Amino acid sequence: MLLTLLIVLLFLFIFLGMDIAWSIGLSSLIYIGLTQFSPRPINPVLFVQELTAGVDSFTLLSIPMFILAGELMSRTSVVPRLIEMAYAFVGHKPGGLGNVCITANLFMAGTSGSAVADAAAIGTAMVPQMEQRGYPRRYAAGIISAAACMAPIIPPSIMFILLGAIANISVGQLFMAGIIPGFIMYFALTAVNRWLAVRNGFERGEKAGWPERRRMILRGLPALGAPVIVVLTKVMGIATPTESAAIVVLYVMALGVFFYRDLSLSVFVRSAMGAAMTSAAIMMTVATSQIFGTLAIMAGVGTVVETGLRAISENPWIILLIVNIALIILGTVMEPVPLMLILSPILFPMLGAMGIDPIHLGVVLVFNLVLGGVTPPVGLNLFIMARVSRLPMMEVFRGGLPFYLVLYAVLMLLTYVPQLTLFIPELLMR
């Protein structure tokens, strides 16, 4: 009865418009208070203990630094240079500026680790350009919202860092596991864009001469050093994810000061303030989700879920399909981070006992939650692109629907072909 009340209160507070961190924390606090009148009361001290334990992790220190690196890049000329380089590679091919958007998001994914940051940065620059070239505004907003989904999959991914900390699995292996799925997403989105562009007669860009293309590539290439640093430091065992994040911040600062020469003290201060605000919101959610997850486990949610799933089937692949469907549905009403933090302590022990590799499960879980970012009514990517393009959220959703469908197909492929996620981690890190 009390467990049902905990879940009902959580969704009630969310639907009333309360911030997700406060919704989780307040529902947990009310639950602890009501247990004082039950035969098994929970000590209220647990609330403070779990609140602290939720963020007491060395791995989580990397999140503010990766966010700071993304802020620095978005406030300097890194994003325009990456777009220029993407244009040099693919702007003249069928698909035109749609190709540029997808490729620029691929480049940004390797530097920011955040889908929302990528959508805002690329969308602000590219939506007006695409509209001027004859692309429908909802198509431009939709393709960018879908392409931004690569950011939480390609290293360095903030969601992989959170998952590694909460599920106690290797962040480095999660980073490596996301490389092949990220590129599959890229080629799938590019193929759909090319087909739609040819079908609708969208304009492609002019092919620049080799001197111009070489200039654009050389100007943008240094920005791609950030993901290279993350991958190499993990593969070679030089640094932890937190240390890699610190190195990336120093690299981006050096890039802005000495190479692009547009990182001033005021830009750095604004970037640091933005990173602090974003990090505070994430950490508050992490802390309160730790309490909620602990209370759910104490109430026996894991046993209830496992019993229910095993009653349907003992086949782990059917169980994965059910989990995928459940996560997609939950992703329509909850934000990805709290959903991941609440469900991970339940899903990983259960599915691990069925023989499913935790790294493979981690990638599938994050991919599901990423698709929640493009699913109404709580899709953050849709919300950002609706604001950038000044369109209703459902218009952005309609514009991006062909791209979302191909991402669902990629999810099914990754779910049932685990070698696609496990090949690089097993080759380099096991």
Side-chain angles (χ1 to χ4, degrees), residues 147-423:
C149 291
M150 292 185 286
I153 302 298
I154 293 174
S157 163
I158 292 173
M159 291 187 71
F160 279 159
I161 296 168
L162 287 170
L163 181 61
I166 197 73
N168 197 27
I169 54 180
S170 168
V171 175
Q173 289 190 33
L174 286 171
F175 280 178
M176 298 301 104
I179 294 175
I180 291 177
F183 278 98
I184 292 175
M185 294 169 72
Y186 171 76
F187 289 117
L189 291 171
T190 303
V192 173
N193 173 63
R194 178 181 179 131
W195 177 71
L196 290 173
V198 172
R199 181 184 177 189
N200 294 304
F202 293 149
E203 179 183 346
R204 69 171 77 177
E206 296 180 3
K207 185 174 182 179
W210 272 111
E212 179 67 11
R213 293 170 71 184
R214 184 167 58 249
R215 183 188 65 82
M216 290 190 289
I217 292 171
L218 291 177
R219 282 163 54 117
L221 203 57
L224 296 183
V228 173
I229 289 171
V230 174
V231 172
L232 287 183
T233 52
K234 291 308 303 173
V235 171
M236 300 175 68
I238 297 173
T240 65
T242 304
E243 293 162 347
S244 297
I247 295 170
V248 166
V249 170
L250 290 175
Y251 175 79
V252 172
M253 289 175 63
L255 208 60
V257 172
F258 300 111
F259 190 81
Y260 295 132
R261 299 182 180 179
D262 54 5
L263 177 57
S264 62
L265 181 60
S266 62
V267 170
F268 178 80
V269 171
R270 289 198 301 272
S271 300
M273 290 175 63
M277 296 293 289
T278 305
S279 301
I282 291 175
M283 292 304 177
M284 189 66 183
T285 306
V286 171
T288 54
S289 297
Q290 174 78 11
I291 303 165
F292 191 96
T294 300
L295 294 176
I297 292 170
M298 291 175 65
V301 171
T303 304
V304 172
V305 171
E306 184 174 0
T307 303
L309 289 175
R310 287 186 180 276
I312 298 172
S313 175
E314 291 282 341
N315 188 321
W317 302 113
I318 295 177
I319 298 295
L320 268 179
L321 176 62
I322 297 170
V323 169
N324 278 345
I325 294 171
L327 287 171
I328 290 168
I329 294 172
L330 288 171
T332 64
V333 294
M334 282 190 70
E335 294 179 15
V337 171
L339 195 55
M340 178 179 67
L341 295 171
I342 291 169
L343 293 179
S344 294
I346 299 170
L347 293 177
F348 275 84
M350 179 183 70
L351 295 177
M354 294 182 177
I356 296 173
D357 190 284
I359 300 299
H360 173 228
L361 176 59
V363 174
V364 171
L365 174 64
V366 170
F367 204 120
N368 270 289
L369 299 178
V370 163
L371 292 180
V374 292
T375 308
V378 189
L380 290 178
N381 289 15
L382 295 179
F383 177 73
I384 292 295
M385 290 313 303
R387 291 185 62 182
V388 169
S389 61
R390 299 184 300 281
L391 288 172
M393 183 183 288
M394 288 308 298
E395 277 295 294
V396 178
F397 178 74
R398 292 188 189 97
L401 188 57
F403 303 99
Y404 309 149
L405 292 176
V406 78
L407 290 180
Y408 280 110
V410 173
L411 170 62
M412 290 297 104
L413 177 66
L414 296 177
T415 301
Y416 293 109
V417 188
Q419 292 79 9
L420 293 173
T421 56
L422 298 177
F423 175 73

